[in-house]
Amino acid sequence: MQTTYLLTAVALLSLPSAVSADEFTFDGTLSYDRFLDGRPGVEDGGFRVQLGVEGFVALGQTRLTFDVEGYKAEYLDEGFVDGVLTLSGEGPFRWKFGLMREEWGQPDATRLGMLVSPNLVFGPSPDIDPVAQPGAMLSFDLSDTVVLDVTALTGLRTSPLLAFDQRGGFGFPLEREIEDGDLGEGALALRLSGTSTALDWSVHAFKGLSRTPTFVQRGPTEVDAVHDEITQIGFELEAAPGDWRIWSEGFWRIDGRNRLGETVDFGHLTLGAEYQFFAAFGGAADILLGAELRRDTRGEKADQPFQNGIAVGLKILQNSFQGWELDYAYLYDFDSEGDGHSLRVSKQISESPALDWEISWTRLNAGEPGTVLDAFEQDSRISTSIKWKY
């Protein structure tokens, strides 16, 4: 926590320079959440606020970048503040060090970007960005289209996890376990990526303490969030032929873990496609239809729902000034037969400052007894939000 306070103080001291010399952006969200399924002893909703500030300061050939976000909800025991603070520059190669929140992959509606500790798990989780990790990254241009990234991470930084009296999560207490390995709490990662008019691709290798925990059910009313030292190799592919967008990403992990706490090597694979109808309905709207299939070799022992399942989605964007946008996603777990729905409608209110209004609804249904979805219970939430950025 002292690191967080220090980060916030340094970032705030940097703001005057950012305003006068470079870039300075505020953003935030004010929401009211209502949970529709009652739980004994648990609040059924309240206000939630997220505030952020980001920018950079040019220091000669070096850039100081900051991105601080704070999050608090009435129905949560504690708030959370996290921030990026990095120094970066260019020479024979690009370099960066500090607190980094790097993502590998494209964070789409139903896809989770991979942090520098790559992890493709998807499931109900806190509405908080990945936690910035202390480390350094070097990037080498091997050609005009191929880049090698070398990343080294030091001590693990974590966020609060949703516990029994914090809605939207597991529904019972959580404990965190950190299983240090040969690299302690550190990690090393290599990522080779390339781009062309036909295909974007990358491969990666990761060794060290996973930044994202595996959720282990110790009993009917207890879950541990376990960080293990892992070895992982993986890939990403994406192409956009015509009005299609097609992607695949996956990994093989050594010394992973399943939801029962058993050490296991496992793999994960995602295949997805999206078709875009531009200027539909006489030019009034754009329509995007997509589907994504997921396979996890742990089967019903996967630590989050929908790892063996399908997601289908629809997005409609109205082509008018300050038009509206609709997003819907349906998720189905093949093992448990549990499912989830997510619906969001948003509309721009103003451009400068950027101001959007949004209403959303999510619902989870646990499937057959004895599966990982039981940990999330049946839960529904409806929210209305005002988002701003200037």
Side-chain angles (χ1 to χ4, degrees):
M1 188 61 69
Q2 289 181 346
T3 302
T4 300
Y5 291 147
L6 177 61
L7 167 67
T8 306
V10 173
L12 292 175
L13 289 174
S14 303
L15 299 188
S17 298
V19 173
S20 60
D22 297 285
E23 181 180 295
F24 182 58
T25 303
F26 288 105
D27 66 83
T29 303
L30 177 63
S31 305
Y32 183 78
D33 303 326
R34 175 62 61 184
F35 294 94
L36 307 180
D37 299 296
R39 293 183 188 171
V42 180
E43 294 188 36
D44 60 2
F47 284 97
R48 171 169 50 93
V49 63
Q50 173 267 323
L51 297 173
V53 57
E54 62 179 299
F56 66 86
V57 180
L59 305 172
Q61 300 299 313
T62 303
R63 173 179 289 199
L64 173 68
T65 302
F66 59 89
D67 181 359
V68 181
E69 294 219 352
Y71 179 97
K72 175 63 180 174
E74 283 187 307
Y75 49 86
L76 300 183
D77 278 346
E78 58 181 310
F80 181 61
V81 177
D82 183 49
V84 168
L85 185 65
T86 62
L87 285 171
S88 60
E90 297 187 12
F93 50 83
R94 293 182 299 280
W95 57 271
K96 178 189 299 186
F97 72 88
L99 289 177
M100 306 184 300
R101 195 186 293 138
E102 300 296 325
E103 293 182 1
W104 296 349
Q106 298 75 33
D108 291 300
T110 63
R111 304 169 65 200
L112 208 72
M114 295 192 296
L115 192 65
V116 284
S117 172
N119 194 338
L120 292 181
V121 295
F122 172 84
S125 58
D127 195 10
I128 299 175
D129 287 336
V131 181
Q133 300 295 322
M137 184 170 67
L138 304 178
S139 297
F140 303 88
D141 292 327
L142 302 185
S143 72
D144 291 340
T145 59
V146 178
V147 177
L148 174 65
D149 295 323
V150 181
T151 303
L153 302 175
T154 58
L156 176 71
R157 297 185 66 245
T158 62
S159 67
L161 292 172
L162 297 185
F164 175 78
D165 56 352
Q166 301 178 337
R167 295 298 300 256
F170 283 90
F172 40 76
L174 291 162
E175 297 290 337
R176 191 185 293 274
E177 292 185 11
I178 299 176
E179 304 289 345
D180 292 357
D182 295 336
L183 300 179
E185 292 189 3
L188 295 172
L190 300 176
R191 180 175 185 258
L192 188 67
S193 60
T195 183
S196 69
T197 56
L199 180 70
D200 293 338
W201 60 270
S202 76
V203 292
H204 72 258
F206 180 93
K207 171 69 174 180
L209 190 70
S210 175
R211 265 47 194 168
T212 305
T214 300
F215 296 110
V216 174
Q217 291 182 253
R218 300 298 188 189
T221 59
E222 183 180 354
V223 167
D224 291 344
V226 182
H227 296 264
D228 286 303
E229 184 173 76
I230 62 170
T231 301
Q232 178 172 303
I233 57 174
F235 75 93
E236 301 169 61
L237 299 171
E238 181 166 355
D243 292 334
W244 286 90
R245 190 169 69 91
I246 303 169
W247 64 86
S248 178
E249 54 189 22
F251 63 77
W252 182 260
R253 177 173 295 185
I254 300 171
D255 294 331
R257 198 179 290 258
N258 61 29
R259 72 177 179 92
L260 301 181
E262 301 164 338
T263 300
V264 61
D265 300 343
F266 70 93
H268 188 100
L269 179 67
T270 297
L271 299 171
E274 182 179 85
Y275 187 78
Q276 307 171 70
F277 297 90
F278 293 109
F281 306 119
D286 295 335
I287 300 176
L288 289 78
L289 298 173
E292 186 171 278
L293 181 68
R294 301 188 183 93
R295 170 62 178 160
D296 190 305
T297 62
R298 294 173 295 178
E300 64 179 20
K301 294 182 180 180
D303 72 315
Q304 289 202 53
F306 312 120
Q307 295 308 292
N308 288 284
I310 191 170
V312 294
L314 164 70
K315 180 190 290 278
I316 302 176
L317 300 94
Q318 185 185 39
N319 292 330
S320 65
F321 180 68
Q322 296 181 359
W324 52 265
E325 179 178 317
L326 180 147
D327 289 278
Y328 171 75
Y330 172 75
L331 301 140
Y332 181 77
D333 190 299
F334 295 142
D335 292 323
S336 68
E337 299 183 359
D339 61 11
H341 301 265
S342 174
L343 176 66
R344 180 180 67 88
V345 178
S346 61
K347 180 176 175 57
Q348 186 180 51
I349 298 174
S350 69
E351 284 190 318
S352 183
L355 189 64
D356 297 308
W357 171 81
E358 176 181 301
I359 186 168
S360 63
W361 169 76
T362 59
R363 182 168 181 81
L364 295 175
N365 291 289
E368 297 294 329
T371 69
V372 70
L373 259 179
D374 295 345
F376 292 90
E377 300 186 3
Q378 178 170 303
D379 214 353
S380 303
R381 178 173 73 178
I382 187 167
S383 303
T384 184
S385 304
I386 293 291
K387 298 183 177 183
W388 64 89
K389 187 171 185 177
Y390 64 93

